[in-house]
Amino acid sequence: MKRMALLSAIAMTVASACATPPAEVTELLTREDSSLQRILVRSPEGYAKIAKNLKAGDTVVLANGVWRDFDLVIQGQGTAESPIQVVAEEPGQVILSGQSSLRLGGNHIIVSGLVFRDGYTPRNEVISFRIDRDTLANNSRVTQTVIENYNNPERALRDTWVVMYGRGNEFDRNHLSGKLNSGPTMTVRLNTEESRNNGHKIHHNYFGPRPVFGSNGGETLRIGTSHYSLTTSNTLVESNYFDRCSGEVEIVSNKSGGNTYRDNTFFESRGTLTLRHGNGTIVENNLFDGNGALYTGGVRVINAQQTIRNNYFKDLTGTRFSGALVVMNGVPDSPINRYHQVDGANITGNTFDTVSAIELAEGSDTERSAVPINSSFENNIVLGATSSTPFNLYDDMSGVTFAGNITDSRPPEAISRGFSVSETVTGTPFISKDGDAGADGEYGVDRNETGVEWFPKPSAGSPFETGQVTSVLPGEGTIAKAVKKAASGDILLLSPGAYNEARIIDISRPLTIRAADSSNKPVLSFERSNMFKLSKSGALRLDGVSVSGASAPDAKGNSFIATSARAGVGNLTLEILNSDFDDFMINGAFAIVTAEKGTFFDVVKVSGATFKNISGDVFKFNSESDDYGIYNVEYMEISDTDFSDIRGSAVSIYRGGRDESTFGPYVKVTESTFTNVGNGSQPMMVFHGAQSVEVTTNLAENSAPAEFVITTGIPKTIIEGNRTVGPPPSVFLTTTDMRQ
Ligand code: CA
């Protein structure tokens, strides 16, 4: 009878609208065989008309097309046999853009086939398994749904794409890719009693690339928070593919008890599955395949009763917090948000195949002094990446039983009794069970078995030079015109001659600008404060040009290349090759490249360049001055480059604060010369808070020493083969340690 009421309510709406109903009015598509109905809606207004009366068995079909600013709220009481469904007319053809979001509340609701893109959520969440604090979703499911690049343009503004509340919910076969702003991609919350011991299932999802975020807050999945971490979540995370999820040191941040991570693949993902808080979690049958990429790790173990069994760890290069296996030291009587002692860890039957580091009692210091106890490391195969053992012991390991393990190089004396050393442990592609040691069976999940079929998974590789080549002639505004027409990956070839630009050129996608004739450099000048502004996912390779700053205005904040936080938050890339810069003196602080606060470069690479007569810093990456562990550049490499007559510093990088969540900044400077840099009063270069500094075979003349300030972590440093020529007689680089 209720069915009839709904039908007539809609019929009346239609009838009362007018003779020819406007587009947003709903249509009823009643299935022949039953009282179940399919309701086609064509607009948010149309949806609003039926939203209050959704009943068990109803299927709402959202019409193909773009739905802008759609605040989709689905509330109702479905049943297991007759759920309430909201589906795309065709999967992938219903686009929610602008300020759209989705909230579910009630029981047995299923959503499928939607795509969120070209916008960002106006709320804290894009997809929420609750409508408000009192209206949670239970036994509900979101499937076959895509969220791609749905980012708040302000990088520091925090949101989360998917948040699960309630109990018995399922999130499966979805595609989440390209989150750039602050906040985990997905979380499970335990903030009320009704969301604990939840039995959620998160499976067969494709978690696509999450670029380096550049501070804490770049997790791909977090389950729980420290506050409720001693309660049970009982969430299953199964057969998901984590593809280059490299936002920060925690790929997954497990912060609750009783969870299971099974059959997942972690591919080229920096950091680890971190058992950060809570007890009694199982990690089994997963594949951690670093594929040799930087900082790739496996599992980091903290707390009590954690089980890590039958996993395959392969080609992982990470060390310390990002090792293939990291067993942390705890804090005695730890506060809930610090490090609880490892107690009763069971690490058994795993294969570690070509891994750089297994870190035991990691983090041992005066605060973290509680060593692992009642634990076992048994029947594992361990093959290091080099001829020496990957094991590092930072404290007493007598609380861990080592037995039945096989390895190919002699482990440290304190644990060696638990290993037989055999150099003949070989086999490809996987080294599986050898006797009782090692992992057995299938590991992980195939990428193609995750996500949706109708939405492509991003490919790897350089963004540059994948497109068309276009010739550009000298003159006024010719580069701007060519950039405007260019597609992603295109190459603009500049003929010899003079180019002048009266407008700032926006670069929001990968482009190469290159001399057509490398022996006859085109000469570039510009009349605004910047020549190029990088925004969104802008990437620029500049090769073989000569640039003058002489036509720029006499204004503060001039910079040949600048960035824009307002236009979007993408990770930027810049390469400057074989190019010359001269005459940037028109104003007191002219820079060559500046990163605005809230913008982030993945890579800045400079090679075969000369910088001469510059009044400010050449590379100015010091705008994140809040000491929150945020910074402007992940990887900066300078090679075979000459700096001379620079009033500021050649490079200024600032990462303040003591947060341990990032790998960068990484700096490499090699085979370069510095003459009259810093005007004798400023450091030649500043690396404040860098986590890796490699400075080799450079030459400095009449320049103040470079300054490396250690603020946190255990930075890697290689400083060698550098020379200085006086005056003043000097060292090339000074190191200041500000840790404790
Ligand atoms: Ca974190």
Side-chain angles (χ1 to χ4, degrees):
M1 289 308 101
K2 283 176 177 173
R3 174 74 38 229
M4 293 307 294
L6 174 62
L7 285 169
S8 55
I10 292 164
M12 280 180 64
T13 309
V14 174
S16 63
C18 57
T20 47
E24 79 268 13
V25 168
T26 59
E27 280 174 38
L28 296 180
L29 308 172
T30 307
R31 285 222 302 250
E32 302 163 5
D33 58 335
S34 73
S35 62
L36 302 183
Q37 61 173 346
R38 290 169 69 81
I39 311 163
L40 180 69
V41 298
R42 298 186 182 280
S43 70
E45 295 74 21
Y47 179 78
K49 287 180 181 153
I50 57 148
K52 288 193 183 70
N53 294 303
L54 293 174
K55 301 290 184 298
D58 285 349
T59 296
V60 177
V61 180
L62 302 181
N64 289 350
V66 177
W67 296 62
R68 267 196 83 80
D69 304 336
F70 187 15
D71 180 17
L72 176 53
V73 178
I74 307 170
Q75 183 166 13
Q77 299 298 325
T79 64
E81 303 72 39
S82 299
I84 294 168
Q85 300 193 55
V86 175
V87 305
E89 185 178 359
E90 286 174 74
Q93 300 301 313
V94 174
I95 315 297
L96 279 72
S97 72
Q99 310 270 289
S100 296
S101 63
L102 164 63
R103 287 176 284 163
L104 321 177
N107 242 299
H108 294 288
I109 297 166
I110 300 177
V111 179
S112 81
L114 311 182
V115 177
F116 288 87
R117 63 163 214 236
D118 304 326
Y120 59 94
T121 180
R123 305 175 169 279
N124 287 323
E125 299 157 4
V126 180
I127 297 177
S128 179
F129 282 77
R130 74 174 192 187
I131 292 171
D132 53 42
R133 211 178 153 82
D134 300 323
T135 317
L136 310 185
N138 294 296
N139 308 307
S140 293
R141 178 181 179 204
V142 173
T143 183
Q144 298 272 304
T145 286
V146 171
I147 307 179
E148 193 187 54
N149 301 335
Y150 203 63
N151 294 308
N152 193 302
E154 266 196 66
R155 194 179 179 87
L157 283 187
R158 190 179 171 89
D159 59 34
T160 305
W161 281 1
V162 180
V163 183
M164 292 179 98
Y165 300 89
R167 289 196 179 120
N169 294 318
E170 189 174 4
F171 187 78
D172 67 289
R173 296 172 180 82
N174 301 291
H175 174 126
L176 307 180
S177 181
K179 189 163 197 291
L180 295 171
N181 62 313
S182 179
T185 306
M186 175 168 182
T187 64
V188 174
R189 298 296 306 270
L190 310 178
N191 53 338
T192 60
E193 180 59 36
E194 293 72 26
S195 293
R196 295 174 199 153
N197 203 359
N198 51 58
H200 296 323
K201 293 188 171 74
I202 299 167
H203 65 99
H204 293 92
N205 299 291
Y206 174 74
F207 292 97
R210 170 126 207 208
V212 174
F213 176 54
S215 85
N216 191 15
E219 303 87 350
T220 293
L221 174 63
R222 192 190 73 208
I223 300 186
T225 55
S226 61
H227 197 72
Y228 305 104
S229 60
L230 295 178
T231 58
T232 298
S233 184
N234 184 27
T235 300
L236 174 66
V237 179
E238 187 173 50
S239 299
N240 300 284
Y241 196 93
F242 294 85
D243 188 3
R244 292 164 278 165
C245 293
S246 300
E248 61 145 276
V249 75
E250 299 172 318
I251 308 165
V252 175
S253 187
N254 185 76
K255 294 188 168 179
S256 51
N259 299 311
T260 301
Y261 298 86
R262 178 191 296 151
D263 292 331
N264 302 287
T265 296
F266 296 82
F267 181 74
E268 285 191 12
S269 294
R270 292 183 176 198
T272 62
L273 192 179
T274 303
L275 305 179
R276 185 66 188 84
H277 296 297
N279 306 317
T281 282
I282 296 171
V283 179
E284 63 183 2
N285 301 6
N286 300 286
L287 172 62
F288 294 85
D289 182 359
N291 200 30
L294 276 177
Y295 304 115
T296 46
V299 179
R300 187 155 68 104
V301 184
I302 304 148
N303 308 294
Q305 308 300 327
Q306 313 286 31
T307 300
I308 292 90
R309 65 185 174 212
N310 208 67
N311 299 284
Y312 206 99
F313 300 88
K314 182 170 178 285
D315 297 326
L316 298 167
T317 67
T319 62
R320 305 307 306 240
F321 276 28
S322 196
L325 175 73
V326 187
V327 179
M328 293 290 292
N329 255 20
V331 175
D333 302 316
S334 175
I336 198 152
N337 64 344
R338 288 300 292 160
Y339 283 82
H340 285 242
Q341 184 175 30
V342 171
D343 183 352
N346 176 6
I347 302 163
T348 177
N350 302 285
T351 297
F352 297 88
D353 177 2
T354 318
V355 302
S356 292
I358 293 181
E359 313 286 23
L360 302 177
E362 171 65 60
S364 170
D365 58 20
T366 49
E367 186 211 13
R368 285 185 290 226
S369 62
V371 298
I373 54 170
N374 306 319
S375 297
S376 61
F377 185 96
E378 296 180 357
N379 302 334
N380 301 289
I381 294 176
V382 180
L383 308 183
T386 64
S387 57
S388 58
T389 181
F391 284 100
N392 296 304
L393 275 55
Y394 300 99
D395 208 330
D396 176 28
M397 269 292 121
S398 60
V400 181
T401 304
F402 289 81
N405 302 293
I406 298 175
T407 187
D408 63 343
S409 58
R410 201 174 154 69
E413 191 55 43
I415 62 172
S416 66
R417 267 197 321 161
F419 291 81
S420 58
V421 179
S422 161
E423 284 169 16
T424 59
V425 187
T426 54
T428 51
F430 296 114
I431 295 150
S432 61
K433 233 172 166 57
D434 184 350
D436 288 329
D440 192 14
E442 303 281 309
Y443 328 97
V445 63
D446 192 87
R447 183 171 130 119
N448 295 323
E449 290 172 24
T450 63
V452 297
E453 278 173 16
W454 41 263
F455 200 88
K457 297 180 173 68
S459 60
S462 165
F464 293 117
E465 310 202 18
T466 55
Q468 307 288 317
V469 178
T470 307
S471 291
V472 182
L473 294 172
E476 287 290 331
T478 56
I479 297 176
K481 203 182 272 178
V483 167
K484 214 165 186 182
K485 281 192 205 151
S488 185
D490 279 3
I491 302 130
L492 307 183
L493 276 189
L494 307 192
S495 301
Y499 294 77
N500 186 58
E501 294 293 335
R503 298 178 187 201
I504 297 172
I505 301 172
D506 176 49
I507 306 269
S508 60
R509 52 194 180 280
L511 283 182
T512 297
I513 297 177
R514 169 180 294 150
D517 174 1
S518 61
S519 63
N520 197 350
K521 286 180 177 154
V523 179
L524 278 49
S525 60
F526 55 103
E527 296 176 10
R528 299 293 305 277
S529 288
N530 321 116
M531 177 148 180
F532 296 108
K533 204 161 238 185
L534 300 187
S535 65
K536 297 176 183 162
S537 298
L540 177 62
R541 173 181 281 169
L542 198 58
D543 187 357
V545 300
S546 177
V547 186
S548 163
S551 304
D554 182 3
K556 199 162 181 283
N558 281 354
S559 183
F560 170 62
I561 294 173
T563 62
S564 172
R566 254 186 319 175
V569 289
N571 283 34
L572 306 167
T573 300
L574 175 65
E575 294 184 10
I576 295 177
L577 313 172
N578 313 310
S579 294
D580 302 324
F581 297 79
D582 195 355
D583 209 348
F584 289 77
M585 301 297 290
I586 200 147
N587 161 274
F590 210 146
I592 301 302
V593 182
T594 305
E596 184 183 306
K597 189 174 169 61
T599 62
F600 187 76
F601 282 92
D602 261 343
V603 177
V604 175
K605 234 181 213 177
V606 182
S607 182
T610 65
F611 298 93
K612 201 176 171 187
N613 297 315
I614 317 278
S615 65
D617 297 335
V618 180
F619 293 96
K620 188 171 162 52
F621 298 134
N622 58 6
S623 69
E624 300 289 0
S625 51
D626 297 329
D627 291 347
Y628 295 150
I630 304 174
Y631 51 101
N632 291 127
V633 62
E634 179 72 5
Y635 182 93
M636 164 114 223
E637 180 179 335
I638 296 172
S639 63
D640 188 25
T641 289
D642 300 324
F643 297 86
S644 58
D645 301 310
I646 314 288
R647 279 202 206 144
S649 301
V651 181
S652 187
I653 291 175
Y654 188 90
R655 181 216 190 264
R658 294 187 37 82
D659 177 84
E660 292 177 302
S661 305
T662 69
F663 299 109
Y666 180 111
V667 193
K668 182 174 179 177
V669 180
T670 183
E671 302 279 337
S672 294
T673 68
F674 301 81
T675 311
N676 302 325
V677 175
N679 212 15
S681 57
Q682 280 206 62
M684 178 166 68
M685 295 183 276
V686 180
F687 312 131
H688 186 104
Q691 293 297 301
S692 176
V693 172
E694 193 176 335
V695 176
T696 58
T697 54
N698 301 289
L699 173 66
E701 188 174 351
N702 194 28
S703 302
E707 220 175 73
F708 173 33
V709 181
I710 302 177
T711 56
T712 187
I714 306 150
K716 284 184 203 158
T717 53
I718 305 173
I719 318 282
E720 60 192 29
N722 303 295
R723 291 187 304 133
T724 58
V725 181
S730 176
V731 292
F732 190 86
L733 179 142
T734 62
T735 302
T736 310
D737 193 342
M738 287 173 56
R739 291 171 298 186
Q740 292 188 330

